[in-house]
Amino acid sequence: MANTIEDALPEEKRSLNFIESIIEEDLSVNKNDSRVHTRFPPEPNGYLHIGHAKSICLNFGMAEKYQGKCNLRFDDTNPEKEDTEYVDSIMEDVQWLGFQWDKEPYYASDYFEQLYDWAVLLIRKGLAYVDDQPQEVISQQRGTPTRPGTESPFRNRSIEENLDLFERMKNGEFPNGSRVLRAKIDMTSPNMHMRDPVMYRILHAEHHRTGDQWKIYPMYDYAHGQSDYLEGITHSLCTLEFEVHRPLYDWFLDQLIETSYRPRQIEFARLNLSYTVMSKRKLLELVKNKIVSGWDDPRMPTIAGLRRRGYTPASIRAFADRIGVAKRDNVIDVGLLEFSVREDLNKITNRVMAVIDPLRLVITNYPEGTTEWVELENNPEDPAGGTRQVPFGRELFIEKDDFMADPPHKYFRLAPGKEVRLKGAYVIHCENFDTDIHGNPATIYCTYDVDTKSGSGPKQPKVKGTLHWVEASQAIDAEVRLYDRLFMDEDPAGHKDRDPLEFLNPDSLKVLRGCKLEPALKSAKTGEKFQFQRIGYFCVDKDSQSEALVFNRTVSLKDNWAKVSAK
RNA sequence: UGCCCGAUGGUGUAAUUGGCAACACGUCUGACUCUGGAUCAGAAGAGUUUAGGUUCGAGACCUAAUCGGGCAACCA
């Protein structure tokens, strides 16, 4: 097996990103006893995507690099949106990427009791109050970013009354939306999040873990920092939109905690990929509208989709490595992701013969009714890859693209009167061809020269082109699915007043049937990856059955001829 | 009209007590090749948003402006 990509990038030669700088600074002053403890905190309300992969690689990566730990914590404070289906898929995806969290997965819901006690403490300190106003009124009183808010008439009620009301909220005495618990901070703060943020809302809902035990649920801002604290998190990495939440994150901890240990929130820029939408909401829309077959449709930027598409964990980790991490907005060329898979797949996949758009070819001077076996290398990139036997005979299939009746200049493939090498077999000479009723080539007639046999033949003429092929009588049929980007616009979600769905690529999936494969592929298993010689990287889809193979194209091979011929 | 954050080749990321801008992807040459793949060699492409300031010296520090992003869920 070839080396992994990571081995090629010596760690010590790389400079630090801004998060590593912060960590090393903290380490140098022995902050938090020089521990490094991170966490990946997904809400179990959807599938993980490549943007999460960036965060996963970052969080687990930092822990790994500094001999620390990384927790997996489900941020499950909103029972209306969350489900165990997502919990399971998230655990699967994180592990598939090659990471293992510290101990068992954590849940914010494990801290509901503690969070409640702390809320009571805040009320006792006069720092939280129950507001009876409806949502619309509270929202109006909050003001706007440019105008300060106004205080709630309930802001200064007695601690006893607050305690009583809050307990009754917890006991389920009030209907949804009738009251909230708010932190008493500053309604005139220039930071909207400090204007008496809601800490608890009443929700009579079934929680995926606590069932109907709770009638009130903490808000993100109130739950997150304290959860970090309870787990001993030192560096709480999140995306940029939480930057303005940080003062609130710190405020709660400062009111509640007396020890010197403190988690620190650090924000980084989320990943954007060209020609891709990344928000869970939009991805969900694709699934719901049946534009894709599901969360794991190979065109989806979800981890599950990429996995089914044939991406390897190593390639995604290498990608995350290459894109780096910073605080400025960024759009990564989706080509970089493709580069990362090609790089990995080139090293690890076996080459096989597959003709996805078959054209019949007859070698007229090859003895009828006989076949022979030729030896082919499995993987030229891997010296230990070995060889295999592939049948060769009088009737073959070649790629339609590999023959032209009237070829342009610099076309190195087959054309009347021209010669090519059949990979691993013989040099053939094209004599003539038949056409079908539409005038398209139907059968190509060639002659071969026995002396040019690959490797052993006494004659080894220089020919410009080498074609892949499949012997007709033993070929097996398969379905091949060719994927292309889902959107034709570089930034489908970046247009005001235009729905990303307007930019859908109508050709994002092409299904090819009757593709011809060399017989060895008969036993290919779901998920198994190959390079179809001269075409691209493919893997066996889960829709495959033993007599009806289905392959997904992960990514095509880099194709210089396509570029040249397009000019 | 407030507050917060950001600004370095086409894209992304570097430049670690301030010392003549580096790496990757992409692009373009060429070599090699029984994959028009891979590999190898090389090239072009930024003077770091702008204007001031500090300094012998600024991408880095300071000030202002410009541009971009974020902030007004009982979402996370």
Side-chain angles (χ1 to χ4, degrees):
Chain A
M1 185 63 71
N3 291 340
T4 59
I5 298 164
E6 283 99 327
D7 293 344
L9 304 166
E11 188 116 9
E12 54 281 2
K13 289 193 88 172
R14 298 195 323 218
S15 52
L16 303 179
N17 63 47
F18 81 103
I19 293 173
E20 292 165 331
S21 300
I22 291 171
I23 292 176
E24 297 204 357
E25 233 174 86
D26 291 344
L27 254 23
S28 73
V29 298
N30 200 235
K31 188 177 169 184
N32 298 329
D33 304 319
S34 292
R35 291 184 304 110
V36 172
H37 200 157
T38 55
R39 104 266 91 113
F40 173 62
E43 182 186 13
N45 70 342
Y47 281 72
L48 260 29
H49 54 61
I50 183 77
H52 293 108
K54 173 181 180 177
S55 176
I56 292 167
C57 293
L58 223 202
N59 277 293
F60 284 92
M62 288 302 99
E64 217 164 86
K65 176 165 181 176
Y66 296 102
Q67 288 93 50
K69 297 168 177 171
C70 182
N71 292 356
L72 172 64
R73 177 168 75 231
F74 291 100
D75 217 337
D76 55 352
T77 56
N78 185 358
E80 292 181 325
K81 291 187 178 166
E82 295 148 9
D83 196 276
T84 48
E85 175 199 352
Y86 299 121
V87 170
D88 295 340
S89 77
I90 288 169
M91 292 197 288
E92 181 186 0
D93 289 349
V94 171
Q95 288 179 311
W96 178 76
L97 278 172
F99 297 106
Q100 189 53 57
W101 48 83
D102 187 48
K103 305 199 176 105
E104 293 302 306
Y106 292 82
Y107 295 83
S109 53
D110 288 340
Y111 314 131
F112 282 173
E113 203 69 54
Q114 172 68 258
L115 257 10
Y116 176 80
D117 291 345
W118 269 331
V120 169
L121 178 63
L122 252 17
I123 293 173
R124 289 220 155 89
K125 287 178 139 187
L127 293 171
Y129 63 96
V130 172
D131 197 335
D132 301 355
Q133 300 181 106
Q135 187 166 176
E136 310 77 59
V137 177
I138 290 179
S139 145
Q140 251 177 32
Q141 285 170 354
R142 206 181 329 265
T144 69
T146 55
R147 224 189 322 279
T150 53
E151 300 188 348
S152 162
F154 297 94
R155 194 172 201 261
N156 293 309
R157 65 170 148 210
S158 73
I159 289 176
E160 290 65 39
E161 193 182 2
N162 279 320
L163 253 16
D164 174 60
L165 254 17
F166 186 49
E167 182 170 359
R168 289 163 62 193
M169 279 169 64
K170 174 191 158 187
N171 293 340
E173 291 185 30
F174 309 120
N176 284 1
S178 58
R179 278 171 234 263
V180 289
L181 183 73
R182 294 227 258 166
K184 192 193 282 189
I185 308 180
D186 177 8
M187 289 306 291
T188 67
S189 170
N191 183 338
M192 297 289 293
H193 298 276
M194 299 300 271
R195 323 243 260 228
D196 290 9
V198 172
M199 293 168 57
Y200 272 93
R201 75 284 213 187
I202 299 170
L203 240 37
H204 294 264
E206 181 83 4
H207 187 278
H208 73 109
R209 297 188 77 237
T210 61
D212 59 2
Q213 186 190 341
W214 291 89
K215 313 300 178 194
I216 55 173
Y217 289 90
M219 300 289 291
Y220 167 85
D221 283 306
Y222 178 62
H224 205 89
Q226 280 72 268
S227 300
D228 283 344
Y229 176 82
L230 291 167
E231 291 174 20
I233 301 305
T234 56
H235 302 267
S236 184
L237 314 180
C238 63
T239 44
L240 244 32
E241 66 268 26
F242 292 99
E243 203 151 25
V244 282
H245 294 240
R246 186 173 1 114
L248 183 54
Y249 178 102
D250 292 334
W251 187 89
F252 281 123
L253 256 13
D254 287 344
Q255 311 313 315
L256 263 9
I257 304 306
E258 281 166 11
T259 59
S260 64
Y261 151 64
R262 197 122 315 176
R264 171 175 176 184
Q265 177 179 303
I266 301 167
E267 311 85 13
F268 63 91
R270 61 159 7 107
L271 166 68
N272 297 296
L273 259 192
S274 62
Y275 299 98
T276 309
V277 298
M278 202 71 91
S279 82
K280 276 187 202 171
R281 212 197 89 245
K282 288 177 188 115
L283 294 177
L284 179 64
E285 213 178 308
L286 293 173
V287 174
K288 285 218 165 126
N289 293 344
K290 302 241 190 295
I291 289 161
V292 295
S293 64
W295 285 102
D296 69 345
D297 185 291
R299 292 164 294 180
M300 291 283 273
T302 50
I303 308 287
L306 291 166
R307 176 167 58 231
R308 188 170 170 192
R309 175 82 170 251
Y311 275 71
T312 58
S315 69
I316 292 174
R317 278 185 263 119
F319 171 73
D321 230 54
R322 248 186 286 260
I323 61 176
V325 53
K327 294 191 74 162
R328 69 184 90 112
D329 291 329
N330 60 84
V331 182
I332 307 288
D333 188 340
V334 68
L336 189 61
L337 184 60
E338 293 174 351
F339 167 82
S340 298
V341 233
R342 281 198 193 97
E343 179 188 46
D344 193 26
L345 260 17
N346 174 47
K347 282 190 284 194
I348 64 174
T349 57
N350 282 164
R351 275 62 174 165
V352 295
M353 294 290 212
V355 173
I356 62 172
D357 192 11
L359 173 62
R360 195 165 158 264
L361 181 146
V362 177
I363 300 173
T364 52
N365 60 340
Y366 194 90
E368 273 182 72
T370 63
T371 56
E372 63 181 306
W373 293 85
V374 299
E375 189 175 55
L376 280 167
E377 225 178 347
N378 286 324
N379 183 355
E381 301 293 318
D382 181 5
T387 60
R388 72 186 183 291
Q389 301 294 119
V390 180
F392 180 86
R394 177 184 164 92
E395 272 196 39
L396 311 168
F397 293 108
I398 62 164
E399 215 67 62
K400 275 198 180 109
D401 279 353
D402 286 339
F403 175 81
M404 281 185 103
D406 187 16
H409 185 54
K410 286 208 166 178
Y411 183 80
F412 300 153
R413 284 111 101 147
L414 208 53
K418 293 187 79 173
E419 287 192 339
V420 294
R421 158 79 62 184
L422 291 177
K423 175 85 181 168
Y426 303 93
V427 172
I428 57 169
H429 182 92
C430 179
E431 307 295 343
N432 54 17
F433 65 100
D434 279 348
T435 56
D436 61 18
I437 49 170
H438 307 292
N440 296 318
T443 306
I444 314 299
Y445 298 97
C446 298
T447 51
Y448 84 124
D449 182 346
V450 222
D451 291 342
T452 62
K453 181 157 187 181
S454 189
S456 58
K459 275 162 66 183
Q460 297 293 334
K462 286 267 177 208
V463 286
K464 273 290 198 181
T466 299
L467 308 187
H468 62 281
W469 48 270
V470 171
E471 195 277 324
S473 72
Q474 295 190 51
I476 54 175
D477 278 5
E479 174 180 324
V480 169
R481 298 174 181 171
L482 303 181
Y483 300 101
D484 198 356
R485 48 188 58 147
L486 248 185
F487 296 95
M488 305 177 75
D489 188 84
E490 231 183 289
D491 185 13
H495 302 266
K496 294 187 181 91
D497 318 316
R498 297 198 68 179
D499 193 298
L501 300 188
E502 292 177 42
F503 304 107
L504 279 174
N505 176 5
D507 298 320
S508 63
L509 169 60
K510 258 184 234 160
V511 178
L512 269 29
R513 289 175 228 276
C515 303
K516 303 292 183 183
L517 314 182
E518 65 169 84
L521 253 17
K522 199 178 190 105
S523 56
K525 301 282 181 299
T526 299
E528 208 174 333
K529 297 167 176 59
F530 302 94
Q531 185 199 93
F532 286 3
Q533 195 90 220
R534 296 210 307 135
I535 304 176
Y537 296 99
F538 293 77
C539 70
V540 181
D541 189 75
K542 67 176 186 183
D543 288 348
S544 253
Q545 288 167 4
S546 61
E547 294 301 314
L549 289 171
V550 178
F551 286 85
N552 295 321
R553 181 174 68 191
T554 308
V555 67
S556 66
L557 241 32
K558 215 165 113 186
D559 189 353
N560 279 318
W561 168 243
K563 212 184 300 179
V564 172
S565 61
K567 284 179 186 170

